[in-house]
C-alpha cells in the first residue's frame, strides 16, 4: 500500500472555520446544514503532507478522525470527506497500529495480536466509509462489483475512493488469513483496484499500480512476474519520489522469493529517497523510510 498524507492538528483556516461555525450556530444566523457542509469541506481539505514528525501526526489523528466521522454522518453524500476519512483511517492503521504490532511481536506476541485486531477493525471501518460513498455515487455499485460479468464503471473522480476502499479492504484481508469468509472477498478487492486504475491510471503517481501489484503478488496463484512489472511501472511513475514504491516491491516480491540482495537493495533505495521542501510526500516517505530501516536491520533474521 502506498501511504499518503496523514492528518494533523487543525490548520489556522480550519480553526477559524470551527469558531465561525460555532458562532453562527449559536447566533442562529445560518442553517445547521450550511454549517455542517462548510465544516465538511474544510475537513476534507486537510492534508498537510509536508509534516515531518510522524509522532505528531499519530497523536493528532484521533481528533481528526472522530470529528470527520461525526460530520460525515450528517453529510453522507460528501464524497471528498468520505475519501479523506477512509484514507486517513487506513494510513493510521497501517503506520501506527499494524507497524507497531510488527515491531513488538518478538517481545510480546499477545500485544502484537491485540494491535493487529485493532488495525483490522480500523481497516474494515475505513473500507465501509469508502464503499458507502461509492454506492451513493453509483447506486448498485456493490452488486455490480460482485458480478464479474458486469464490473462497475467508475469516473476519474471516483479513483481515490476506489483506491482507499481497495487498500483498506486488502489490508483487512491480510490480517484475517484465518477467516475464510473475509479472505473470500479478495477477488472483489482485485476487481475494485482494477476499476480504480481504469478510472484514472495516473492517480497517486503510481499508487494504484503499486496496490494492484501487491494484490497480484499476494493472491493464491498470482502472477509474480506480472506483479514485478507493475511494481516497476509504479516506481517509474513516481520518478524516485516515493519510498513506499520501493518498499512495496521489497516486501511483495523480493522477500517471498528469498532474494536477500534484491530485498536489501530496494530497502536502501527507499531510504535514499529525499523530499523537496514542502513536498506532500514528506510524511508518507518518513513513515516508509522508518519501516525500511527496521526491515533492513532485521534482514539477517528474515532470510
Amino acid at each position: 500500500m502506498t501511504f499518503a498524507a496523514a492528518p494533523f492538528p487543525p490548520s489556522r483556516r480550519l480553526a477559524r472555520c470551527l469558531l465561525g461555525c460555532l458562532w453562527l450556530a449559536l447566533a442562529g444566523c445560518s442553517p445547521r446544514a450550511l454549517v455542517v457542509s462548510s465544516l465538511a469541506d474544510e475537513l476534507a481539505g486537510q492534508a498537510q503532507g509536508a509534516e515531518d514528525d510522524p509522532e505528531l501526526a499519530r497523536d493528532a489523528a484521533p481528533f481528526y478522525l472522530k470529528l470527520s466521522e461525526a460530520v460525515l454522518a450528517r453529510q453522507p453524500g460528501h464524497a471528498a470527506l468520505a475519501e479523506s476519512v477512509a484514507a486517513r483511517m487506513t494510513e493510521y492503521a497501517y503506520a501506527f497500529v499494524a507497524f507497531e504490532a510488527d515491531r513488538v511481536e518478538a517481545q510480546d506476541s499477545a500485544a502484537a495480536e491485540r494491535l493487529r485486531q485493532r488495525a483490522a477493525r480500523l481497516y474494515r471501518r475505513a473500507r465501509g466509509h469508502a464503499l458507502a460513498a461509492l454506492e451513493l455515487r453509483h447506486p448498485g455499485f456493490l452488486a455490480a462489483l460482485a458480478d464479474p460479468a458486469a464490473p462497475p464503471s467508475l469516473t476519474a473522480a471516483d479513483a481515490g475512493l476506489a483506491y482507499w476502499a481497495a487498500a483498506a479492504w486488502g489490508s483487512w484481508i491480510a490480517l484475517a488469513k484465518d477467516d475464510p469468509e473475509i479472505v473470500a472477498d479478495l477477488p472483489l478487492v482485485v476487481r475494485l483496484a482494477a476499476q480504480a486504475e481504469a478510472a484514472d491510471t495516473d492517480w497517486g503517481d503510481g499508487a494504484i499500480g503499486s496496490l494492484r501489484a501487491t494484490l497480484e503478488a499476494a493472491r493464491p496463484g498470482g502472477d509474480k512476474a506480472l506483479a514485478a512489472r507493475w511494481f516497476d511501472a509504479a516506481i517509474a511513475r513516481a520518478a524516485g519520489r516515493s519510498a513506499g514504491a520501493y518498499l512495496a516491491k521489497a516486501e511483495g516480491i523480493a522477500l517471498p522469493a528469498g532474494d536477500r540482495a534484491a530485498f536489501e537493495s530496494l530497502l536502501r533505495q527507499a531510504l535514499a529517497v529525499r523530499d523537496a521542501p514542502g513536498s506532500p510526500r514528506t510524511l508518507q516517505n518518513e513513515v516508509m523510510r522508518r519501516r525500511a530501516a527496521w526491515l533492513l536491520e532485521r534482514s539477517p533474521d528474515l532470510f
Side-chain angles (χ1 to χ4, degrees):
M1 179 175 61
T2 298
F3 182 84
F8 300 98
S11 67
R12 291 179 180 177
R13 182 183 175 194
L14 178 57
R16 288 196 299 269
C17 178
L18 288 169
L19 290 173
C21 289
L22 178 61
W23 182 86
L24 287 170
L26 293 175
C29 298
S30 175
R32 178 180 295 181
L34 181 60
V35 173
V36 174
S37 179
S38 176
L39 182 54
D41 290 341
E42 289 294 335
L43 288 168
Q46 293 300 299
Q48 301 177 32
E51 174 62 54
D52 62 359
D53 188 334
E55 284 70 34
L56 178 60
R58 178 198 61 206
D59 294 343
F63 167 80
Y64 171 87
L65 290 172
K66 289 300 295 179
L67 177 59
S68 295
E69 279 191 315
V71 175
L72 184 60
R74 292 184 173 275
Q75 291 274 305
H78 200 294
L81 182 57
E83 180 180 335
S84 182
V85 172
R88 308 303 173 247
M89 190 167 289
T90 302
E91 294 166 347
Y92 180 81
Y94 174 81
F96 306 122
V97 185
F99 182 25
E100 183 64 16
D102 291 342
R103 296 202 304 178
V104 306
E105 185 167 32
Q107 293 77 36
D108 190 339
S109 60
E113 179 58 24
R114 288 193 297 271
L115 285 166
R116 290 196 177 100
Q117 289 178 5
R118 182 186 179 213
R121 291 192 297 269
L122 290 168
Y123 287 138
R124 180 178 60 187
R125 195 160 156 180
R127 180 206 67 149
H129 288 306
L131 289 181
L134 287 169
E135 182 68 24
L136 281 173
R137 288 172 65 84
H138 304 281
F141 171 82
L142 294 175
L145 184 64
D147 183 357
S153 179
L154 300 176
T155 68
D158 302 315
L161 275 170
Y163 171 83
W164 288 112
W169 203 347
S171 299
W172 178 28
I173 289 173
L175 293 179
K177 295 178 181 178
D178 296 330
D179 190 329
E181 290 189 9
I182 297 175
V183 174
D185 284 339
L186 183 58
L188 299 180
V189 182
V190 171
R191 201 172 303 146
L192 180 56
Q195 291 303 307
E197 188 171 45
D200 187 351
T201 304
D202 295 326
W203 187 90
D205 289 336
I208 299 178
S210 184
L211 175 61
R212 291 196 69 194
T214 298
L215 294 169
E216 183 64 27
R219 73 177 182 85
D223 187 334
K224 299 297 192 294
L226 175 60
R229 291 197 296 273
W230 282 347
F231 274 126
D232 289 340
I235 289 170
R237 185 167 281 117
R241 297 187 300 269
S242 174
Y246 296 110
L247 181 63
K249 186 178 180 183
E251 294 195 81
I253 298 294
L255 182 58
D259 190 339
R260 181 174 176 180
F263 181 73
E264 293 183 354
S265 175
L266 286 162
L267 293 179
R268 290 192 180 94
Q269 290 179 81
L271 289 169
V273 171
R274 291 294 175 264
D275 307 303
S279 169
R281 293 180 179 271
T282 298
L283 178 63
Q284 66 171 357
N285 282 335
E286 179 58 23
V287 167
M288 293 304 185
R289 284 190 293 261
R290 289 188 180 193
R291 182 170 180 85
W294 177 74
L295 286 170
L296 194 59
E297 183 179 341
R298 294 188 63 235
S299 184
D301 299 325
L302 296 174
F303 293 90

Coordinates of all heavy atoms in Angstrom, one line a residue, residues 112-178:
A112 N 1.0 -7.8 20.3 CA 1.0 -7.7 18.8 C -0.3 -8.1 18.2 O -0.9 -7.5 17.3 CB 2.2 -8.5 18.2
E113 N -0.9 -9.2 18.8 CA -2.2 -9.7 18.3 C -3.3 -8.7 18.6 O -4.2 -8.5 17.7 CB -2.5 -11.0 18.9 CG -3.8 -11.6 18.5 CD -3.9 -11.8 17.0 OE1 -2.9 -12.0 16.3 OE2 -5.1 -11.9 16.5
R114 N -3.2 -8.1 19.7 CA -4.2 -7.1 20.1 C -4.2 -5.9 19.1 O -5.2 -5.4 18.6 CB -4.1 -6.6 21.5 CG -4.5 -7.6 22.6 CD -4.6 -6.9 23.9 NE -3.3 -6.5 24.4 CZ -2.5 -7.2 25.1 NH1 -2.7 -8.4 25.4 NH2 -1.3 -6.7 25.5
L115 N -3.0 -5.5 18.8 CA -2.8 -4.4 17.9 C -3.3 -4.7 16.5 O -3.9 -3.9 15.8 CB -1.3 -4.0 17.8 CG -0.8 -3.2 19.0 CD1 0.8 -3.2 19.0 CD2 -1.3 -1.8 19.0
R116 N -3.0 -6.0 16.0 CA -3.4 -6.4 14.7 C -5.0 -6.4 14.6 O -5.6 -6.1 13.6 CB -2.8 -7.7 14.3 CG -1.3 -7.6 14.1 CD -0.8 -8.8 13.3 NE 0.6 -8.6 13.0 CZ 1.6 -9.1 13.7 NH1 1.4 -10.0 14.7 NH2 2.9 -8.9 13.4
Q117 N -5.6 -6.9 15.7 CA -7.0 -6.9 15.7 C -7.6 -5.5 15.7 O -8.6 -5.2 15.0 CB -7.5 -7.6 17.0 CG -7.3 -9.1 17.0 CD -7.7 -9.8 18.3 OE1 -8.3 -9.1 19.2 NE2 -7.5 -11.0 18.4
R118 N -6.9 -4.6 16.3 CA -7.4 -3.2 16.3 C -7.2 -2.6 14.8 O -8.1 -1.9 14.3 CB -6.6 -2.3 17.2 CG -7.1 -0.8 17.2 CD -6.3 0.1 18.1 NE -6.8 1.4 18.0 CZ -6.0 2.5 18.1 NH1 -4.7 2.4 18.3 NH2 -6.5 3.7 17.9
A119 N -6.0 -2.9 14.2 CA -5.8 -2.5 12.9 C -6.8 -3.0 11.9 O -7.3 -2.3 11.0 CB -4.4 -2.9 12.4
A120 N -7.2 -4.3 12.1 CA -8.2 -4.9 11.3 C -9.5 -4.2 11.4 O -10.2 -4.0 10.4 CB -8.4 -6.4 11.6
R121 N -9.9 -3.8 12.6 CA -11.2 -3.1 12.8 C -11.1 -1.7 12.1 O -12.1 -1.3 11.5 CB -11.5 -2.9 14.3 CG -11.8 -4.2 15.0 CD -12.4 -4.0 16.4 NE -11.4 -3.3 17.3 CZ -10.6 -4.0 18.1 NH1 -10.5 -5.3 18.0 NH2 -9.7 -3.3 18.9
L122 N -10.0 -1.1 12.2 CA -9.9 0.2 11.5 C -9.9 0.1 10.0 O -10.5 0.9 9.3 CB -8.6 0.9 12.0 CG -8.5 1.4 13.4 CD1 -7.1 1.8 13.8 CD2 -9.4 2.6 13.6
Y123 N -9.3 -0.9 9.5 CA -9.3 -1.1 8.0 C -10.8 -1.4 7.6 O -11.2 -0.9 6.6 CB -8.4 -2.3 7.6 CG -7.0 -2.1 7.7 CD1 -6.1 -3.1 8.2 CD2 -6.4 -0.9 7.2 CE1 -4.7 -2.9 8.3 CE2 -5.0 -0.7 7.2 CZ -4.2 -1.7 7.8 OH -2.8 -1.5 7.8
R124 N -11.5 -2.2 8.3 CA -12.8 -2.5 8.0 C -13.7 -1.3 8.0 O -14.6 -1.0 7.1 CB -13.4 -3.6 9.0 CG -14.9 -4.0 8.7 CD -15.3 -5.0 9.6 NE -15.2 -4.6 11.0 CZ -15.5 -5.4 12.1 NH1 -15.7 -6.7 11.9 NH2 -15.4 -4.9 13.3
R125 N -13.5 -0.4 9.0 CA -14.2 0.8 9.2 C -13.9 1.8 8.0 O -14.8 2.4 7.4 CB -13.8 1.4 10.5 CG -14.7 2.5 11.0 CD -14.3 2.6 12.5 NE -14.6 3.9 13.1 CZ -14.4 4.2 14.4 NH1 -13.9 3.2 15.2 NH2 -14.7 5.3 14.9
A126 N -12.7 1.9 7.6 CA -12.3 2.7 6.5 C -12.9 2.2 5.2 O -13.4 3.0 4.4 CB -10.8 2.8 6.4
R127 N -12.8 0.9 5.0 CA -13.5 0.4 3.8 C -14.9 0.7 3.7 O -15.5 1.0 2.7 CB -13.3 -1.2 3.8 CG -13.9 -1.9 2.6 CD -14.3 -3.3 3.0 NE -15.3 -3.4 3.9 CZ -16.2 -4.4 3.9 NH1 -16.2 -5.4 3.1 NH2 -17.2 -4.4 4.9
G128 N -15.6 0.6 4.9 CA -17.0 0.9 4.9 C -17.4 2.3 4.5 O -18.3 2.5 3.7
H129 N -16.6 3.3 4.9 CA -16.8 4.7 4.5 C -16.6 4.8 3.0 O -17.5 5.5 2.4 CB -15.8 5.6 5.3 CG -16.1 5.8 6.7 ND1 -17.4 6.2 7.2 CD2 -15.3 5.6 7.8 CE1 -17.3 6.2 8.5 NE2 -16.1 5.9 8.9
A130 N -15.6 4.3 2.5 CA -15.3 4.4 1.0 C -16.4 3.7 0.2 O -16.9 4.3 -0.8 CB -13.9 3.9 0.7
L131 N -16.7 2.5 0.6 CA -17.7 1.8 -0.2 C -19.1 2.4 -0.1 O -19.9 2.5 -1.1 CB -17.8 0.3 0.3 CG -16.6 -0.6 -0.1 CD1 -16.9 -2.0 0.5 CD2 -16.4 -0.6 -1.6
A132 N -19.5 2.9 1.1 CA -20.7 3.6 1.2 C -20.8 4.8 0.3 O -21.9 5.1 -0.3 CB -21.0 4.0 2.7
A133 N -19.7 5.6 0.2 CA -19.7 6.7 -0.7 C -19.8 6.3 -2.2 O -20.5 7.0 -2.9 CB -18.4 7.5 -0.5
L134 N -19.1 5.3 -2.5 CA -19.2 4.8 -3.9 C -20.6 4.3 -4.2 O -21.1 4.5 -5.3 CB -18.2 3.7 -4.2 CG -16.8 4.1 -4.2 CD1 -15.8 2.9 -4.2 CD2 -16.5 4.9 -5.5
E135 N -21.3 3.7 -3.3 CA -22.7 3.2 -3.5 C -23.6 4.4 -3.7 O -24.5 4.4 -4.5 CB -23.1 2.3 -2.4 CG -24.5 1.7 -2.5 CD -24.6 0.7 -3.6 OE1 -23.6 0.1 -4.0 OE2 -25.8 0.6 -4.1
L136 N -23.4 5.5 -2.9 CA -24.2 6.6 -3.0 C -24.0 7.3 -4.4 O -25.0 7.8 -5.0 CB -23.9 7.6 -1.9 CG -24.5 7.3 -0.5 CD1 -24.0 8.3 0.5 CD2 -26.1 7.4 -0.6
R137 N -22.8 7.4 -4.8 CA -22.5 8.0 -6.1 C -23.0 7.2 -7.3 O -23.3 7.7 -8.3 CB -21.0 8.2 -6.2 CG -20.5 9.3 -5.3 CD -18.9 9.4 -5.4 NE -18.4 9.8 -6.7 CZ -18.3 11.0 -7.1 NH1 -18.6 12.0 -6.4 NH2 -17.7 11.2 -8.3
H138 N -23.0 5.8 -7.1 CA -23.3 4.9 -8.2 C -24.2 3.8 -7.6 O -23.8 2.7 -7.2 CB -22.1 4.3 -8.8 CG -21.1 5.3 -9.3 ND1 -21.3 5.9 -10.6 CD2 -19.9 5.7 -8.8 CE1 -20.2 6.7 -10.8 NE2 -19.4 6.6 -9.7
P139 N -25.5 4.1 -7.5 CA -26.4 3.1 -6.9 C -26.3 1.7 -7.6 O -26.3 1.7 -8.8 CB -27.8 3.7 -7.1 CG -27.6 5.2 -7.1 CD -26.2 5.3 -7.8
G140 N -26.2 0.7 -6.8 CA -26.0 -0.6 -7.4 C -24.5 -1.0 -7.6 O -24.2 -2.1 -8.1
F141 N -23.6 -0.1 -7.1 CA -22.2 -0.4 -7.3 C -21.7 -1.7 -6.7 O -21.0 -2.5 -7.3 CB -21.4 0.8 -6.6 CG -19.9 0.6 -6.6 CD1 -19.1 0.8 -7.7 CD2 -19.4 0.1 -5.4 CE1 -17.8 0.6 -7.6 CE2 -18.0 -0.1 -5.3 CZ -17.2 0.1 -6.4
L142 N -22.2 -1.9 -5.4 CA -21.7 -3.2 -4.7 C -22.2 -4.4 -5.4 O -21.5 -5.4 -5.5 CB -22.2 -3.1 -3.3 CG -21.5 -2.0 -2.4 CD1 -22.2 -2.0 -1.0 CD2 -20.0 -2.2 -2.3
A143 N -23.4 -4.4 -5.9 CA -24.0 -5.6 -6.6 C -23.2 -5.8 -7.9 O -22.8 -6.9 -8.3 CB -25.4 -5.4 -6.9
A144 N -22.8 -4.7 -8.6 CA -22.1 -4.8 -9.9 C -20.7 -5.3 -9.6 O -20.1 -6.1 -10.4 CB -22.0 -3.4 -10.6
L145 N -20.1 -4.9 -8.5 CA -18.7 -5.3 -8.1 C -18.7 -6.8 -7.9 O -17.7 -7.5 -8.2 CB -18.3 -4.6 -6.9 CG -16.8 -4.9 -6.4 CD1 -15.8 -4.4 -7.4 CD2 -16.5 -4.2 -5.1
A146 N -19.8 -7.4 -7.4 CA -19.8 -8.8 -7.1 C -20.1 -9.7 -8.4 O -20.0 -10.9 -8.3 CB -20.9 -9.1 -6.1
D147 N -20.4 -9.0 -9.5 CA -20.7 -9.7 -10.7 C -19.5 -9.6 -11.7 O -19.4 -8.5 -12.3 CB -22.0 -9.1 -11.3 CG -22.4 -9.9 -12.6 OD1 -21.7 -10.8 -13.0 OD2 -23.4 -9.5 -13.2
P148 N -18.7 -10.6 -11.9 CA -17.5 -10.5 -12.8 C -17.9 -10.1 -14.2 O -17.1 -9.5 -14.9 CB -16.9 -11.9 -12.7 CG -17.5 -12.5 -11.5 CD -18.8 -11.9 -11.3
A149 N -19.1 -10.4 -14.6 CA -19.5 -10.2 -16.0 C -20.0 -8.7 -16.2 O -20.1 -8.3 -17.3 CB -20.7 -11.1 -16.4
A150 N -20.2 -8.0 -15.1 CA -20.7 -6.6 -15.3 C -20.0 -5.7 -14.2 O -20.6 -5.2 -13.3 CB -22.2 -6.6 -15.1
P151 N -18.7 -5.5 -14.4 CA -17.9 -4.7 -13.4 C -18.5 -3.2 -13.4 O -18.9 -2.7 -14.5 CB -16.5 -4.7 -14.0 CG -16.6 -5.0 -15.4 CD -17.8 -5.9 -15.5
P152 N -18.5 -2.6 -12.3 CA -19.0 -1.2 -12.2 C -18.1 -0.3 -13.0 O -16.9 -0.5 -13.1 CB -18.9 -0.9 -10.7 CG -17.9 -1.8 -10.2 CD -18.0 -3.1 -11.0
S153 N -18.7 0.7 -13.5 CA -18.0 1.7 -14.3 C -17.7 3.0 -13.4 O -18.7 3.5 -12.9 CB -18.7 2.1 -15.6 OG -18.0 3.1 -16.3
L154 N -16.5 3.4 -13.3 CA -16.1 4.5 -12.4 C -15.6 5.6 -13.3 O -15.0 5.4 -14.4 CB -15.1 4.1 -11.4 CG -15.6 3.0 -10.4 CD1 -14.4 2.6 -9.5 CD2 -16.8 3.4 -9.6
T155 N -15.6 6.8 -12.7 CA -15.1 8.0 -13.4 C -13.7 8.4 -12.7 O -13.4 7.8 -11.6 CB -16.0 9.2 -13.3 OG1 -16.1 9.6 -11.9 CG2 -17.4 8.8 -13.8
A156 N -13.0 9.3 -13.3 CA -11.8 9.7 -12.6 C -12.0 10.3 -11.2 O -11.1 10.1 -10.4 CB -11.1 10.8 -13.5
A157 N -13.1 10.9 -11.0 CA -13.5 11.5 -9.7 C -13.7 10.4 -8.6 O -13.6 10.7 -7.4 CB -14.7 12.3 -9.8
D158 N -13.9 9.1 -9.1 CA -14.1 8.0 -8.1 C -12.8 7.3 -7.8 O -12.8 6.4 -6.9 CB -15.0 7.0 -8.7 CG -16.4 7.6 -9.1 OD1 -16.9 8.3 -8.3 OD2 -16.9 7.3 -10.2
A159 N -11.7 7.6 -8.5 CA -10.5 6.8 -8.4 C -9.9 6.8 -6.9 O -9.5 5.7 -6.4 CB -9.4 7.3 -9.3
G160 N -9.9 7.9 -6.2 CA -9.4 8.0 -4.9 C -10.3 7.1 -3.9 O -9.7 6.4 -3.1
L161 N -11.6 7.2 -4.0 CA -12.5 6.4 -3.2 C -12.2 5.0 -3.4 O -12.2 4.1 -2.5 CB -13.9 6.8 -3.4 CG -14.5 8.0 -2.7 CD1 -15.9 8.3 -3.3 CD2 -14.6 7.7 -1.2
A162 N -12.1 4.6 -4.7 CA -12.0 3.2 -5.1 C -10.6 2.7 -4.6 O -10.5 1.5 -4.1 CB -12.1 3.0 -6.6
Y163 N -9.6 3.5 -4.7 CA -8.2 3.1 -4.2 C -8.3 2.8 -2.7 O -7.8 1.8 -2.3 CB -7.2 4.2 -4.5 CG -5.9 3.9 -3.9 CD1 -4.9 3.1 -4.4 CD2 -5.6 4.5 -2.6 CE1 -3.7 2.8 -3.8 CE2 -4.4 4.2 -2.0 CZ -3.5 3.4 -2.6 OH -2.3 3.1 -1.9
W164 N -8.8 3.8 -1.9 CA -8.8 3.6 -0.5 C -9.7 2.5 0.0 O -9.4 1.8 0.9 CB -9.1 4.9 0.2 CG -8.0 5.9 0.1 CD1 -8.0 7.1 -0.6 CD2 -6.7 5.8 0.6 NE1 -6.7 7.6 -0.5 CE2 -5.9 6.9 0.2 CE3 -6.1 4.8 1.5 CZ2 -4.6 7.1 0.6 CZ3 -4.8 5.0 1.8 CH2 -4.0 6.1 1.4
A165 N -10.8 2.3 -0.7 CA -11.7 1.1 -0.4 C -10.9 -0.2 -0.6 O -10.9 -1.1 0.2 CB -12.9 1.1 -1.3
A166 N -10.2 -0.3 -1.7 CA -9.4 -1.5 -2.1 C -8.2 -1.7 -1.1 O -7.9 -2.8 -0.7 CB -9.0 -1.5 -3.5
A167 N -7.5 -0.6 -0.8 CA -6.4 -0.6 0.1 C -6.8 -1.1 1.5 O -6.1 -1.9 2.1 CB -5.7 0.7 0.1
A168 N -7.8 -0.5 2.0 CA -8.3 -0.8 3.3 C -8.8 -2.3 3.4 O -8.5 -3.0 4.3 CB -9.4 0.1 3.8
W169 N -9.6 -2.6 2.3 CA -10.1 -4.0 2.3 C -9.0 -5.0 2.2 O -9.0 -6.0 2.9 CB -11.1 -4.1 1.0 CG -12.1 -5.1 1.1 CD1 -12.2 -6.2 1.9 CD2 -13.3 -5.2 0.2 NE1 -13.4 -6.9 1.6 CE2 -14.0 -6.3 0.6 CE3 -13.7 -4.4 -0.9 CZ2 -15.2 -6.7 -0.1 CZ3 -14.8 -4.7 -1.6 CH2 -15.6 -5.9 -1.2
G170 N -8.1 -4.8 1.3 CA -7.0 -5.7 1.1 C -6.1 -5.9 2.4 O -5.7 -7.0 2.8
S171 N -5.9 -4.7 3.1 CA -5.2 -4.8 4.3 C -5.9 -5.5 5.4 O -5.3 -6.2 6.2 CB -4.9 -3.3 4.8 OG -4.1 -2.6 3.8
W172 N -7.2 -5.4 5.4 CA -8.1 -6.1 6.4 C -8.0 -7.6 6.1 O -7.7 -8.4 7.0 CB -9.5 -5.7 6.3 CG -10.5 -6.4 7.1 CD1 -10.2 -7.0 8.3 CD2 -11.9 -6.6 6.9 NE1 -11.4 -7.6 8.9 CE2 -12.4 -7.3 8.0 CE3 -12.7 -6.2 5.8 CZ2 -13.8 -7.7 8.1 CZ3 -14.1 -6.6 5.9 CH2 -14.6 -7.3 7.0
I173 N -8.0 -8.0 4.8 CA -7.9 -9.4 4.5 C -6.6 -10.0 4.9 O -6.5 -11.1 5.4 CB -8.2 -9.6 3.0 CG1 -9.6 -9.3 2.6 CG2 -7.7 -11.0 2.5 CD1 -9.9 -9.3 1.1
A174 N -5.5 -9.2 4.7 CA -4.2 -9.6 5.0 C -4.0 -10.0 6.5 O -3.2 -10.8 6.9 CB -3.1 -8.6 4.7
L175 N -4.8 -9.3 7.4 CA -4.8 -9.6 8.8 C -5.8 -10.6 9.2 O -5.9 -10.9 10.4 CB -5.0 -8.3 9.6 CG -3.9 -7.2 9.4 CD1 -4.3 -6.0 10.2 CD2 -2.6 -7.7 9.9
A176 N -6.6 -11.1 8.3 CA -7.7 -12.1 8.6 C -7.5 -13.4 7.9 O -8.4 -14.0 7.4 CB -9.0 -11.5 8.3
K177 N -6.2 -13.9 7.7 CA -5.9 -15.0 6.9 C -6.6 -16.3 7.4 O -6.8 -17.3 6.7 CB -4.4 -15.3 6.9 CG -3.7 -14.1 6.1 CD -2.2 -14.4 6.2 CE -1.5 -13.2 5.4 NZ 0.0 -13.4 5.5
D178 N -7.0 -16.3 8.7 CA -7.6 -17.5 9.3 C -9.2 -17.4 9.2 O -9.8 -18.3 9.7 CB -7.2 -17.6 10.8 CG -5.7 -17.9 10.9 OD1 -5.2 -18.5 10.0 OD2 -5.2 -17.5 12.0

